Amino acid sequence: MTAWTLTPELTDAEARRRFASLDSVFALEGPLVAKDPLSRVLRVEIAGKRYYVKRYTGAGKNVMRRWFGRPRVRAEWENLLAFRSWGIPTATI
């Protein structure tokens, strides 16, 4: 089971509805901003605000990276910290 919660700072009713569950997030559509073999980033506009949704599409082919590389969740965490330090609004960590 996957726990899914929304931040209290998300007050827009339409955004709360569209981000209400993992299924609804995967149903979102918008222009493709970036992609690589493991993920895609979409720009979704809701009530005049832009949201960027990153979806992972696979675990990767490099077995060694899974065991010895930097975990993907750590890389995402470090990226969010860097963006925040540059003044770019990010998700709460």
Side-chain angles (χ1 to χ4, degrees):
M1 175 109 191
T2 301
W4 190 263
T5 58
L6 295 175
T7 181
E9 289 86 14
L10 184 63
T11 57
D12 180 73
E14 179 63 14
R16 291 189 69 79
R17 184 185 70 76
R18 296 194 48 202
F19 291 115
S21 70
L22 193 55
D23 289 334
S24 63
V25 170
F26 272 88
L28 292 172
E29 295 181 8
L32 186 64
V33 175
K35 71 176 184 172
D36 63 32
L38 300 179
S39 65
R40 299 178 187 281
V41 178
L42 303 176
R43 184 177 63 236
V44 178
E45 191 164 327
I46 303 170
K49 265 189 151 174
R50 289 182 180 165
Y51 299 90
Y52 293 87
V53 178
K54 186 168 190 176
R55 297 179 185 155
Y56 287 98
T57 56
K61 295 179 183 178
N62 187 344
V63 176
M64 295 301 284
R65 181 173 181 198
R66 290 184 200 168
W67 291 100
F68 300 110
R70 180 175 66 159
R72 187 154 294 284
V73 68
R74 181 171 180 94
E76 292 292 341
W77 175 70
E78 289 173 354
N79 288 342
L80 287 174
L81 290 175
F83 294 153
R84 183 172 289 170
S85 73
W86 298 332
I88 300 170
T90 65
T92 302
I93 301 171

Coordinates of all heavy atoms in Angstrom, one line a residue:
M1 N 0.8 -1.2 0.0 CA 0.0 0.0 0.0 C 0.9 1.2 0.0 O 1.9 1.3 0.7 CB -0.9 0.0 1.2 CG -1.7 1.2 1.4 SD -3.4 0.7 1.1 CE -4.2 2.2 1.1
T2 N 0.5 2.2 -0.7 CA 1.2 3.5 -0.8 C 0.4 4.6 -0.1 O -0.7 4.8 -0.4 CB 1.4 3.9 -2.3 OG1 2.1 2.9 -3.0 CG2 2.2 5.2 -2.4
A3 N 1.1 5.2 0.8 CA 0.5 6.4 1.5 C 0.6 7.6 0.6 O 1.7 7.8 0.1 CB 1.1 6.6 2.9
W4 N -0.4 8.4 0.6 CA -0.4 9.6 -0.3 C -1.0 10.7 0.5 O -2.2 10.6 0.9 CB -1.2 9.3 -1.6 CG -1.1 10.3 -2.6 CD1 -1.9 11.4 -2.8 CD2 0.0 10.5 -3.6 NE1 -1.5 12.1 -3.9 CE2 -0.3 11.6 -4.3 CE3 1.1 9.8 -3.8 CZ2 0.5 12.1 -5.4 CZ3 2.0 10.2 -4.8 CH2 1.6 11.3 -5.6
T5 N -0.3 11.8 0.7 CA -0.8 12.9 1.4 C -0.5 14.2 0.6 O 0.5 14.2 -0.1 CB -0.3 13.1 2.8 OG1 1.1 13.2 2.7 CG2 -0.6 11.9 3.7
L6 N -1.3 15.2 0.8 CA -1.1 16.5 0.1 C -0.6 17.5 1.2 O -1.1 17.4 2.3 CB -2.3 17.0 -0.6 CG -2.9 16.2 -1.7 CD1 -4.2 16.7 -2.2 CD2 -1.9 16.1 -2.9
T7 N 0.3 18.4 0.8 CA 0.7 19.4 1.7 C -0.4 20.4 2.0 O -1.2 20.7 1.1 CB 2.0 20.1 1.1 OG1 2.4 21.1 2.1 CG2 1.6 20.8 -0.2
P8 N -0.5 20.8 3.2 CA -1.6 21.8 3.6 C -1.4 23.1 2.8 O -2.4 23.8 2.6 CB -1.4 22.0 5.1 CG -0.6 20.9 5.6 CD 0.2 20.4 4.4
E9 N -0.2 23.4 2.3 CA 0.0 24.7 1.6 C -0.7 24.6 0.2 O -0.9 25.7 -0.4 CB 1.5 24.9 1.3 CG 2.2 25.4 2.6 CD 2.7 24.2 3.4 OE1 2.7 23.0 2.9 OE2 3.0 24.4 4.6
L10 N -1.1 23.5 -0.3 CA -1.8 23.4 -1.5 C -3.3 23.6 -1.2 O -4.0 22.7 -0.8 CB -1.7 22.0 -2.2 CG -2.3 21.8 -3.5 CD1 -1.7 22.7 -4.6 CD2 -2.1 20.3 -4.0
T11 N -3.7 24.9 -1.4 CA -5.1 25.3 -1.0 C -6.1 25.3 -2.2 O -7.3 25.3 -2.0 CB -5.1 26.7 -0.4 OG1 -4.5 27.6 -1.3 CG2 -4.3 26.6 0.9
D12 N -5.6 25.3 -3.4 CA -6.5 25.4 -4.6 C -7.3 24.1 -4.7 O -6.7 23.0 -4.8 CB -5.7 25.6 -5.9 CG -6.6 25.7 -7.1 OD1 -7.3 26.7 -7.2 OD2 -6.6 24.7 -7.9
A13 N -8.6 24.2 -4.7 CA -9.5 23.0 -4.8 C -9.2 22.1 -6.0 O -9.2 20.9 -5.9 CB -10.9 23.4 -4.7
E14 N -9.0 22.7 -7.2 CA -8.8 22.0 -8.4 C -7.5 21.2 -8.4 O -7.4 20.1 -8.7 CB -8.9 22.9 -9.6 CG -8.6 22.2 -10.9 CD -9.7 21.1 -11.3 OE1 -10.8 21.1 -10.7 OE2 -9.4 20.4 -12.2
A15 N -6.4 21.9 -7.9 CA -5.1 21.3 -7.7 C -5.2 20.1 -6.7 O -4.7 19.0 -7.0 CB -4.1 22.3 -7.3
R16 N -5.9 20.3 -5.6 CA -6.0 19.2 -4.6 C -6.8 18.0 -5.2 O -6.4 16.9 -5.0 CB -6.8 19.7 -3.4 CG -5.9 20.7 -2.6 CD -6.6 21.0 -1.2 NE -6.5 19.9 -0.3 CZ -5.5 19.5 0.4 NH1 -4.3 20.2 0.3 NH2 -5.5 18.5 1.2
R17 N -7.8 18.3 -6.1 CA -8.5 17.2 -6.7 C -7.6 16.5 -7.7 O -7.6 15.2 -7.7 CB -9.7 17.8 -7.4 CG -10.6 16.7 -8.1 CD -11.8 17.3 -8.9 NE -11.3 17.9 -10.1 CZ -11.0 17.3 -11.2 NH1 -11.0 16.0 -11.2 NH2 -10.6 18.0 -12.3
R18 N -6.8 17.2 -8.5 CA -6.0 16.6 -9.5 C -4.8 15.9 -9.0 O -4.2 15.0 -9.6 CB -5.6 17.6 -10.6 CG -7.0 18.1 -11.3 CD -6.9 18.8 -12.5 NE -6.1 18.3 -13.6 CZ -5.6 19.1 -14.5 NH1 -5.9 20.4 -14.5 NH2 -4.8 18.6 -15.5
F19 N -4.3 16.3 -7.8 CA -3.2 15.6 -7.1 C -3.7 14.7 -6.0 O -2.9 14.3 -5.2 CB -2.2 16.6 -6.6 CG -1.5 17.4 -7.7 CD1 -1.7 18.7 -7.8 CD2 -0.6 16.7 -8.5 CE1 -1.0 19.4 -8.8 CE2 0.1 17.4 -9.5 CZ -0.1 18.8 -9.7
A20 N -4.9 14.4 -5.9 CA -5.5 13.6 -4.8 C -5.0 12.2 -4.6 O -5.0 11.7 -3.5 CB -7.0 13.6 -4.9
S21 N -4.6 11.6 -5.7 CA -4.2 10.2 -5.6 C -3.1 9.9 -6.6 O -2.9 10.7 -7.5 CB -5.3 9.2 -5.8 OG -5.7 9.3 -7.2
L22 N -2.4 8.8 -6.4 CA -1.3 8.5 -7.3 C -1.9 8.2 -8.7 O -1.3 8.6 -9.7 CB -0.6 7.2 -6.8 CG 0.7 6.9 -7.5 CD1 1.7 8.1 -7.5 CD2 1.4 5.7 -6.8
D23 N -3.1 7.6 -8.7 CA -3.7 7.3 -10.0 C -4.1 8.6 -10.8 O -3.9 8.7 -12.0 CB -5.0 6.5 -9.8 CG -4.7 5.1 -9.4 OD1 -3.6 4.6 -9.8 OD2 -5.5 4.4 -8.8
S24 N -4.6 9.6 -10.0 CA -4.9 10.9 -10.7 C -3.7 11.6 -11.1 O -3.7 12.3 -12.2 CB -5.8 11.8 -9.7 OG -5.1 12.1 -8.6
V25 N -2.6 11.5 -10.4 CA -1.3 12.2 -10.9 C -0.9 11.5 -12.2 O -0.4 12.2 -13.1 CB -0.3 12.1 -9.8 CG1 1.1 12.5 -10.3 CG2 -0.7 13.0 -8.6
F26 N -1.0 10.2 -12.3 CA -0.5 9.5 -13.5 C -1.5 9.7 -14.6 O -1.1 9.5 -15.8 CB -0.3 8.0 -13.2 CG 1.1 7.7 -12.8 CD1 1.4 7.8 -11.4 CD2 2.1 7.5 -13.7 CE1 2.7 7.5 -11.0 CE2 3.4 7.2 -13.2 CZ 3.7 7.3 -11.9
A27 N -2.7 10.2 -14.4 CA -3.6 10.6 -15.4 C -3.4 12.0 -16.0 O -4.0 12.4 -17.0 CB -5.0 10.4 -14.9
L28 N -2.6 12.8 -15.3 CA -2.4 14.2 -15.7 C -1.7 14.2 -17.0 O -0.9 13.4 -17.4 CB -1.5 14.9 -14.7 CG -2.1 15.2 -13.3 CD1 -1.0 15.7 -12.4 CD2 -3.3 16.1 -13.4
E29 N -2.0 15.3 -17.8 CA -1.4 15.5 -19.1 C -0.9 16.9 -19.2 O -1.4 17.8 -18.6 CB -2.5 15.2 -20.2 CG -3.0 13.8 -20.3 CD -4.0 13.6 -21.4 OE1 -4.2 14.5 -22.2 OE2 -4.6 12.5 -21.4
G30 N 0.1 17.0 -20.0 CA 0.7 18.3 -20.2 C 1.9 18.2 -21.1 O 2.3 17.1 -21.5
P31 N 2.5 19.3 -21.5 CA 3.6 19.3 -22.4 C 4.8 18.6 -21.8 O 5.1 18.8 -20.6 CB 4.0 20.8 -22.7 CG 2.8 21.5 -22.2 CD 2.1 20.7 -21.2
L32 N 5.5 17.8 -22.6 CA 6.7 17.1 -22.1 C 7.8 18.1 -22.0 O 8.2 18.8 -23.0 CB 7.1 16.0 -23.1 CG 8.2 15.1 -22.7 CD1 7.9 14.3 -21.5 CD2 8.5 14.1 -23.9
V33 N 8.4 18.2 -20.8 CA 9.5 19.2 -20.6 C 10.9 18.5 -20.8 O 11.8 19.1 -21.4 CB 9.4 19.8 -19.2 CG1 10.6 20.7 -18.9 CG2 8.1 20.5 -19.0
A34 N 11.0 17.3 -20.2 CA 12.3 16.6 -20.3 C 12.0 15.1 -20.3 O 11.0 14.7 -19.7 CB 13.2 17.0 -19.2
K35 N 12.9 14.3 -20.8 CA 12.8 12.9 -20.7 C 14.2 12.2 -20.8 O 15.1 12.8 -21.4 CB 11.8 12.3 -21.8 CG 12.4 12.3 -23.2 CD 11.4 11.6 -24.1 CE 12.0 11.6 -25.5 NZ 11.2 10.8 -26.4
D36 N 14.3 11.1 -20.3 CA 15.5 10.3 -20.4 C 15.0 8.8 -20.4 O 13.8 8.6 -20.2 CB 16.5 10.6 -19.3 CG 16.1 10.3 -17.9 OD1 15.3 9.4 -17.7 OD2 16.5 11.0 -17.0
P37 N 15.9 7.8 -20.4 CA 15.4 6.5 -20.4 C 14.6 6.0 -19.2 O 13.9 5.1 -19.2 CB 16.7 5.6 -20.6 CG 17.6 6.6 -21.3 CD 17.3 7.9 -20.8
L38 N 14.8 6.8 -18.1 CA 14.2 6.4 -16.8 C 13.0 7.2 -16.4 O 12.3 6.8 -15.5 CB 15.3 6.4 -15.7 CG 16.4 5.5 -15.9 CD1 17.4 5.6 -14.7 CD2 16.0 4.0 -16.0
S39 N 12.9 8.4 -16.9 CA 11.8 9.3 -16.4 C 11.4 10.3 -17.5 O 12.0 10.5 -18.5 CB 12.4 10.1 -15.2 OG 13.4 10.9 -15.5
R40 N 10.3 10.9 -17.1 CA 9.7 12.0 -18.0 C 9.2 13.1 -17.0 O 8.7 12.8 -16.0 CB 8.5 11.5 -18.8 CG 8.9 10.4 -19.7 CD 7.6 9.9 -20.5 NE 7.9 8.8 -21.3 CZ 8.5 8.8 -22.5 NH1 8.8 9.9 -23.0 NH2 8.7 7.7 -23.2
V41 N 9.3 14.3 -17.5 CA 8.9 15.5 -16.7 C 7.8 16.2 -17.5 O 8.1 16.6 -18.7 CB 10.0 16.5 -16.3 CG1 9.4 17.7 -15.6 CG2 11.1 15.8 -15.5
L42 N 6.6 16.4 -17.0 CA 5.5 17.1 -17.6 C 5.3 18.4 -16.9 O 5.5 18.5 -15.7 CB 4.2 16.3 -17.5 CG 4.2 14.9 -18.1 CD1 2.9 14.2 -17.8 CD2 4.5 14.9 -19.6
R43 N 4.8 19.4 -17.7 CA 4.4 20.7 -17.1 C 2.9 20.6 -17.1 O 2.2 20.5 -18.2 CB 4.9 21.9 -17.9 CG 4.5 23.2 -17.2 CD 5.1 24.4 -17.9 NE 4.5 24.5 -19.3 CZ 5.3 24.5 -20.4 NH1 6.6 24.5 -20.3 NH2 4.7 24.6 -21.6
V44 N 2.3 20.8 -16.0 CA 0.8 20.8 -15.8 C 0.4 22.1 -15.3 O 0.9 22.6 -14.3 CB 0.4 19.6 -14.8 CG1 -1.1 19.6 -14.7 CG2 0.9 18.3 -15.3
E45 N -0.6 22.7 -16.0 CA -1.1 24.0 -15.5 C -2.5 23.8 -14.9 O -3.4 23.2 -15.6 CB -1.2 25.0 -16.6 CG -1.4 26.4 -16.1 CD -1.1 27.5 -17.1 OE1 -0.2 27.3 -17.9 OE2 -1.8 28.5 -17.1
I46 N -2.7 24.3 -13.7 CA -3.9 24.2 -13.0 C -4.2 25.5 -12.4 O -3.4 26.0 -11.6 CB -3.9 23.1 -11.9 CG1 -3.5 21.7 -12.4 CG2 -5.2 23.0 -11.1 CD1 -3.2 20.7 -11.4
A47 N -5.4 26.1 -12.7 CA -5.8 27.4 -12.2 C -4.7 28.5 -12.3 O -4.5 29.2 -11.4 CB -6.3 27.2 -10.7
G48 N -4.0 28.5 -13.5 CA -3.0 29.5 -13.7 C -1.7 29.3 -13.1 O -0.8 30.1 -13.2
K49 N -1.5 28.2 -12.4 CA -0.2 27.8 -11.7 C 0.4 26.6 -12.5 O -0.3 25.7 -12.9 CB -0.4 27.4 -10.3 CG -0.2 28.5 -9.3 CD -0.2 27.9 -7.9 CE 0.6 28.8 -7.0 NZ 0.5 28.3 -5.6
R50 N 1.7 26.7 -12.6 CA 2.4 25.6 -13.3 C 3.0 24.6 -12.2 O 3.6 25.0 -11.2 CB 3.5 26.1 -14.1 CG 3.1 26.8 -15.3 CD 4.2 27.2 -16.2 NE 3.7 27.9 -17.3 CZ 4.5 28.7 -18.1 NH1 5.8 28.8 -17.8 NH2 4.0 29.3 -19.2
Y51 N 2.8 23.3 -12.5 CA 3.4 22.3 -11.7 C 4.2 21.4 -12.6 O 3.8 21.1 -13.7 CB 2.2 21.4 -11.0 CG 1.4 22.2 -10.1 CD1 0.2 22.9 -10.6 CD2 1.7 22.4 -8.7 CE1 -0.6 23.6 -9.7 CE2 0.9 23.1 -7.9 CZ -0.3 23.7 -8.4 OH -1.1 24.5 -7.6
Y52 N 5.3 20.9 -12.1 CA 6.1 20.0 -12.8 C 6.0 18.6 -12.2 O 6.3 18.4 -11.0 CB 7.6 20.5 -12.9 CG 7.6 21.8 -13.7 CD1 7.4 23.0 -13.1 CD2 7.9 21.7 -15.1 CE1 7.5 24.2 -13.8 CE2 7.9 22.9 -15.8 CZ 7.7 24.1 -15.2 OH 7.7 25.3 -15.9
V53 N 5.7 17.6 -13.0 CA 5.4 16.3 -12.5 C 6.5 15.3 -13.1 O 6.6 15.2 -14.3 CB 4.0 15.8 -12.9 CG1 3.8 14.3 -12.5 CG2 3.0 16.7 -12.3
K54 N 7.2 14.7 -12.3 CA 8.3 13.8 -12.8 C 7.8 12.3 -12.5 O 7.4 12.0 -11.4 CB 9.6 14.0 -12.0 CG 10.7 13.1 -12.6 CD 12.0 13.6 -12.0 CE 13.2 12.9 -12.8 NZ 14.5 13.4 -12.3
R55 N 7.8 11.6 -13.6 CA 7.3 10.2 -13.6 C 8.5 9.3 -14.0 O 9.1 9.5 -15.0 CB 6.2 9.9 -14.5 CG 4.9 10.7 -14.2 CD 3.9 10.4 -15.3 NE 2.7 11.2 -15.1 CZ 1.9 11.5 -16.1 NH1 2.1 11.1 -17.3 NH2 0.9 12.3 -15.9
Y56 N 8.7 8.3 -13.1 CA 9.7 7.3 -13.5 C 9.1 6.2 -14.3 O 8.0 5.7 -13.9 CB 10.4 6.7 -12.2 CG 11.3 7.7 -11.6 CD1 10.9 8.5 -10.5 CD2 12.6 7.9 -12.1 CE1 11.8 9.5 -10.0 CE2 13.5 8.8 -11.6 CZ 13.0 9.6 -10.5 OH 13.9 10.5 -10.0
T57 N 9.8 5.8 -15.3 CA 9.2 4.8 -16.2 C 10.0 3.4 -16.1 O 9.6 2.5 -16.7 CB 9.3 5.3 -17.7 OG1 10.6 5.6 -18.0 CG2 8.4 6.5 -17.9
G58 N 11.0 3.4 -15.4 CA 11.8 2.1 -15.3 C 12.8 2.2 -14.2 O 13.1 3.3 -13.7
A59 N 13.4 1.1 -13.9 CA 14.4 1.0 -12.8 C 15.8 1.2 -13.4 O 16.8 1.3 -12.6 CB 14.3 -0.3 -12.0
G60 N 16.0 1.2 -14.7 CA 17.3 1.3 -15.3 C 17.9 -0.1 -15.6 O 17.5 -1.1 -15.1
K61 N 18.9 -0.1 -16.5 CA 19.4 -1.3 -17.0 C 20.8 -1.6 -16.3 O 21.2 -2.8 -16.3 CB 19.7 -1.2 -18.5 CG 18.4 -1.1 -19.3 CD 18.7 -1.0 -20.7 CE 17.4 -0.8 -21.5 NZ 17.6 -0.7 -22.9
N62 N 21.4 -0.6 -15.7 CA 22.7 -0.9 -15.1 C 22.5 -1.5 -13.7 O 22.3 -0.8 -12.7 CB 23.5 0.5 -15.0 CG 24.9 0.3 -14.5 OD1 25.2 -0.7 -14.0 ND2 25.7 1.3 -14.7
V63 N 22.7 -2.8 -13.6 CA 22.6 -3.5 -12.3 C 23.6 -3.0 -11.3 O 23.3 -2.9 -10.1 CB 22.7 -5.0 -12.6 CG1 22.6 -5.8 -11.3 CG2 21.6 -5.5 -13.5
M64 N 24.8 -2.7 -11.7 CA 25.8 -2.3 -10.8 C 25.4 -1.0 -10.1 O 25.7 -0.8 -8.9 CB 27.2 -2.1 -11.5 CG 27.8 -3.4 -12.0 SD 28.0 -4.6 -10.7 CE 29.5 -4.0 -10.0
R65 N 24.8 -0.1 -10.8 CA 24.4 1.2 -10.2 C 23.4 1.0 -9.1 O 23.3 1.7 -8.1 CB 23.8 2.1 -11.3 CG 23.5 3.5 -10.6 CD 23.1 4.5 -11.6 NE 22.7 5.7 -10.9 CZ 22.1 6.7 -11.3 NH1 21.6 6.7 -12.6 NH2 21.8 7.7 -10.6
R66 N 22.5 0.0 -9.3 CA 21.5 -0.3 -8.3 C 22.2 -0.7 -7.0 O 21.7 -0.4 -5.9 CB 20.6 -1.4 -8.7 CG 19.7 -1.1 -9.9 CD 18.8 -2.2 -10.2 NE 18.2 -2.0 -11.5 CZ 17.6 -2.9 -12.2 NH1 17.4 -4.1 -11.7 NH2 17.1 -2.7 -13.4
W67 N 23.3 -1.4 -7.0 CA 24.0 -1.8 -5.8 C 25.0 -0.9 -5.3 O 25.2 -0.7 -4.1 CB 24.7 -3.2 -6.1 CG 23.7 -4.3 -6.3 CD1 23.3 -4.8 -7.5 CD2 22.9 -5.0 -5.3 NE1 22.3 -5.8 -7.3 CE2 22.1 -5.9 -5.9 CE3 22.8 -4.9 -3.9 CZ2 21.2 -6.7 -5.2 CZ3 22.0 -5.7 -3.2 CH2 21.2 -6.6 -3.9
F68 N 25.7 -0.2 -6.2 CA 26.9 0.7 -5.7 C 26.7 2.1 -6.0 O 27.5 2.9 -5.5 CB 28.2 0.1 -6.4 CG 28.5 -1.3 -6.0 CD1 28.4 -2.3 -7.0 CD2 28.8 -1.6 -4.8 CE1 28.6 -3.6 -6.7 CE2 29.1 -2.9 -4.4 CZ 29.0 -3.9 -5.4
G69 N 25.8 2.5 -6.8 CA 25.6 3.9 -7.1 C 24.8 4.7 -6.1 O 24.3 4.1 -5.1
R70 N 24.7 6.0 -6.3 CA 23.9 6.8 -5.5 C 22.4 6.5 -5.7 O 21.9 6.5 -6.9 CB 24.1 8.3 -5.8 CG 23.4 9.3 -5.0 CD 23.8 10.7 -5.3 NE 23.5 11.0 -6.6 CZ 23.4 12.3 -7.1 NH1 23.6 13.3 -6.3 NH2 23.0 12.5 -8.3
P71 N 21.6 6.1 -4.7 CA 20.2 5.8 -4.9 C 19.5 7.0 -5.5 O 19.7 8.2 -5.2 CB 19.7 5.6 -3.4 CG 20.9 5.3 -2.6 CD 22.0 6.0 -3.3
R72 N 18.5 6.7 -6.4 CA 17.8 7.7 -7.1 C 17.0 8.6 -6.1 O 17.0 9.8 -6.3 CB 16.7 7.0 -8.0 CG 16.1 8.0 -8.9 CD 15.6 7.4 -10.2 NE 16.6 7.0 -11.1 CZ 17.4 7.7 -11.8 NH1 17.2 9.0 -11.8 NH2 18.3 7.2 -12.6
V73 N 16.5 8.1 -5.0 CA 15.8 9.0 -4.0 C 16.8 10.0 -3.4 O 16.4 11.1 -3.2 CB 15.1 8.1 -3.0 CG1 16.0 7.4 -2.1 CG2 14.1 9.0 -2.2
R74 N 18.0 9.6 -3.2 CA 19.0 10.5 -2.6 C 19.4 11.6 -3.7 O 19.5 12.7 -3.3 CB 20.3 9.8 -2.2 CG 21.3 10.7 -1.6 CD 22.5 10.0 -1.0 NE 23.4 11.0 -0.4 CZ 23.4 11.4 0.8 NH1 22.5 10.9 1.7 NH2 24.2 12.3 1.3
A75 N 19.5 11.2 -4.9 CA 19.8 12.2 -6.0 C 18.7 13.2 -6.1 O 18.9 14.4 -6.2 CB 20.0 11.5 -7.3
E76 N 17.4 12.7 -6.0 CA 16.3 13.7 -6.1 C 16.3 14.6 -4.9 O 16.0 15.8 -5.0 CB 14.9 12.9 -6.1 CG 14.7 12.1 -7.4 CD 14.5 13.0 -8.6 OE1 14.2 14.2 -8.4 OE2 14.7 12.6 -9.7
W77 N 16.6 14.1 -3.7 CA 16.6 14.9 -2.5 C 17.7 15.9 -2.6 O 17.5 17.1 -2.3 CB 16.9 13.9 -1.3 CG 17.1 14.6 0.0 CD1 16.1 15.2 0.8 CD2 18.3 14.7 0.8 NE1 16.7 15.7 1.9 CE2 18.0 15.4 1.9 CE3 19.6 14.2 0.5 CZ2 19.0 15.6 2.9 CZ3 20.6 14.5 1.5 CH2 20.3 15.2 2.6
E78 N 18.9 15.5 -3.1 CA 20.0 16.5 -3.2 C 19.6 17.6 -4.2 O 20.0 18.7 -4.1 CB 21.3 15.8 -3.6 CG 21.8 15.0 -2.4 CD 23.0 14.1 -2.8 OE1 23.3 14.0 -4.0 OE2 23.6 13.5 -1.9
N79 N 19.0 17.2 -5.3 CA 18.6 18.1 -6.3 C 17.6 19.2 -5.8 O 17.7 20.4 -6.0 CB 17.9 17.4 -7.5 CG 19.0 16.7 -8.4 OD1 20.2 17.0 -8.3 ND2 18.5 15.8 -9.2
L80 N 16.6 18.7 -5.0 CA 15.6 19.6 -4.4 C 16.3 20.6 -3.4 O 16.0 21.8 -3.4 CB 14.5 18.8 -3.7 CG 13.5 18.1 -4.6 CD1 12.6 17.2 -3.7 CD2 12.7 19.0 -5.4
L81 N 17.3 20.1 -2.7 CA 18.0 21.0 -1.8 C 18.8 22.0 -2.6 O 18.8 23.2 -2.2 CB 19.0 20.2 -0.9 CG 18.3 19.3 0.2 CD1 19.4 18.5 0.9 CD2 17.5 20.2 1.2
A82 N 19.4 21.6 -3.7 CA 20.1 22.6 -4.5 C 19.2 23.6 -5.1 O 19.4 24.8 -5.1 CB 20.9 21.9 -5.6
F83 N 18.0 23.2 -5.7 CA 17.1 24.1 -6.2 C 16.6 25.1 -5.2 O 16.5 26.3 -5.5 CB 15.8 23.4 -6.8 CG 16.2 22.5 -8.0 CD1 15.4 21.4 -8.3 CD2 17.2 22.8 -8.8 CE1 15.7 20.6 -9.4 CE2 17.6 22.0 -9.9 CZ 16.8 20.9 -10.2
R84 N 16.3 24.6 -4.0 CA 15.8 25.5 -2.9 C 16.9 26.5 -2.6 O 16.6 27.7 -2.4 CB 15.4 24.7 -1.7 CG 14.9 25.6 -0.6 CD 14.3 24.8 0.5 NE 13.1 24.1 0.1 CZ 12.5 23.2 0.8 NH1 12.9 22.8 1.9 NH2 11.3 22.7 0.3
S85 N 18.2 26.1 -2.5 CA 19.2 27.1 -2.2 C 19.4 28.1 -3.3 O 19.9 29.2 -3.0 CB 20.6 26.3 -2.0 OG 21.1 25.8 -3.2
W86 N 19.0 27.8 -4.5 CA 19.0 28.8 -5.6 C 17.8 29.7 -5.7 O 17.7 30.5 -6.6 CB 19.2 28.0 -7.0 CG 20.5 27.3 -7.1 CD1 21.7 27.5 -6.4 CD2 20.7 26.1 -7.9 NE1 22.6 26.5 -6.8 CE2 22.0 25.7 -7.7 CE3 19.9 25.3 -8.7 CZ2 22.5 24.5 -8.3 CZ3 20.4 24.2 -9.3 CH2 21.7 23.8 -9.1
G87 N 16.9 29.5 -4.8 CA 15.7 30.3 -4.8 C 14.5 29.8 -5.6 O 13.6 30.5 -5.9
I88 N 14.7 28.5 -6.1 CA 13.6 27.9 -7.0 C 12.6 27.2 -6.0 O 13.0 26.4 -5.3 CB 14.2 26.9 -8.0 CG1 15.2 27.7 -8.9 CG2 13.1 26.3 -8.8 CD1 16.0 26.8 -9.8
P89 N 11.3 27.5 -6.1 CA 10.4 26.8 -5.2 C 10.4 25.3 -5.5 O 10.4 24.9 -6.7 CB 9.0 27.5 -5.6 CG 9.4 28.7 -6.3 CD 10.7 28.5 -6.9
T90 N 10.4 24.6 -4.4 CA 10.4 23.1 -4.6 C 9.4 22.5 -3.6 O 8.9 23.1 -2.7 CB 11.8 22.5 -4.3 OG1 12.1 22.8 -2.9 CG2 12.9 23.1 -5.1
A91 N 9.2 21.2 -3.8 CA 8.4 20.4 -2.9 C 9.1 20.4 -1.5 O 10.3 20.5 -1.4 CB 8.2 19.0 -3.4
T92 N 8.3 20.3 -0.5 CA 8.8 20.2 0.9 C 9.5 18.9 1.1 O 8.9 17.9 0.7 CB 7.7 20.4 2.0 OG1 7.1 21.7 1.7 CG2 8.3 20.4 3.3
I93 N 10.7 18.9 1.7 CA 11.4 17.6 1.9 C 11.2 17.1 3.3 O 11.2 17.9 4.2 CB 12.9 17.9 1.6 CG1 13.1 18.4 0.2 CG2 13.7 16.6 1.9 CD1 14.5 18.9 0.0

